[in-house]
Amino acid sequence: MLEATTTIQNLSVDSFFSEGYLLKKRLINPLLCDAVIAVFEDEVKPYSGTLLRSTTAKREVHHFSETGLMTNPLLNIHELNESLFPEFHSACLRLLADENLQRSIQSILGESAVMVQSVYYESSMGTSPHEDSHYFDSQNSRMFGCWIALQDITQEAGRFCVYPKTHLLGDPTAFPEHVNKAYADYEKLSLNVIRDYKESDRTPSMADFKARLKMIRHILKEQGIEPVTPAVNKGDVLFFSSKTLHSGEFPEMGTSRSRTSLIGHFVPAAEKLIRYQRELEVLTPVKMKNLVVNNCNPSSDAR
Ligand SMILES: O=C(O)CCC(=O)C(=O)O
Ligand SMILES: [Fe+2]
């Protein structure tokens, strides 16, 4: 029995490495998901002050859709002021430290993990295909995101998409030379755009990312790579590599359907962090409740 379970686990991990993502259904207890949403409604949603956002990496008040959904996701909820949001802070940490989740993280990494970023979404904002590695990663590109559905997510709310095998772009054993050359050009442009923004401290705009988007769309089309938009339900977790292209669909206009999700990005504890594929940073892991997190105030986002 034990042997069979171990084999199944290994198969899953193998598919994470071959496909660049892995969906684990019902990994998290739905009650933990409900608890996070309930305290978000009680403690966080009525708050009128500013909080750090993943869209701008700046502090902003909540922005709302016409149907009352928060549209600017919260960046690094583990670093929220605990005295302002005690219940939300501890419910999120409890969920991210969940035993089943941590066991899966361990089996992907094969060693101890540190959470370097967390984001809370109430709605999808429509994010174009990108890889997180260009924003930040572990120095050996082993970071991955755990995208946790806190509710059943409908098509209308705008689903999360992954592009299978794209974490292998640039690998000569996986893609032909002309594709890897096009990918190298894309990567160069993408990093230039991101580094420019960071240096001038401007907020990314869709227009500036247009050329990068055109290049990656061309590669995806030529290789016939279609996005996978798995139907996800409360407690499901989608693990995706820092190098896997992913995007978020736009919600339908005027929808009242939320897409409540919590995302944690994890790296091996023994590696350094790298920002914009240029700046190395030593990790300073600390234990926060039952979760090991990096003790810093990251200014980068993974959008
Ligand atoms: O949830 C989304 O729409 C995008 C999330 C994302 O890009 C990320 O977590 O890295
Ligand atoms: Fe991302």
Side-chain angles (χ1 to χ4, degrees), residues 8 30 36 58 88 95 103 107 151 154 158 161 168 254 277 282:
I8 289 166
V36 171
K58 292 195 169 65
F88 181 68
L95 195 143
R103 210 176 299 124
S107 66
Q151 62 172 147
T154 61
C161 315
L168 300 175
Q277 294 298 319
V282 176

Side-chain angles (χ1 to χ4, degrees), residues 39 101 125 144 185 222 300:
V39 287
L101 180 67
M125 337 157 286
F144 59 93
D185 292 343
E222 203 234 350
S300 81

Side-chain angles (χ1 to χ4, degrees), residues 13 40 123 130 149 183-184 236 294 298:
V13 172
F40 171 75
S123 61
H130 66 278
Y183 175 70
D236 294 353
N294 190 30

Side-chain angles (χ1 to χ4, degrees), residues 111-112 114 139 267-272 283:
E111 59 183 287
S112 313
V114 177
Q139 77 193 102
V267 298
E271 285 192 24
K272 285 190 179 127
L283 289 172

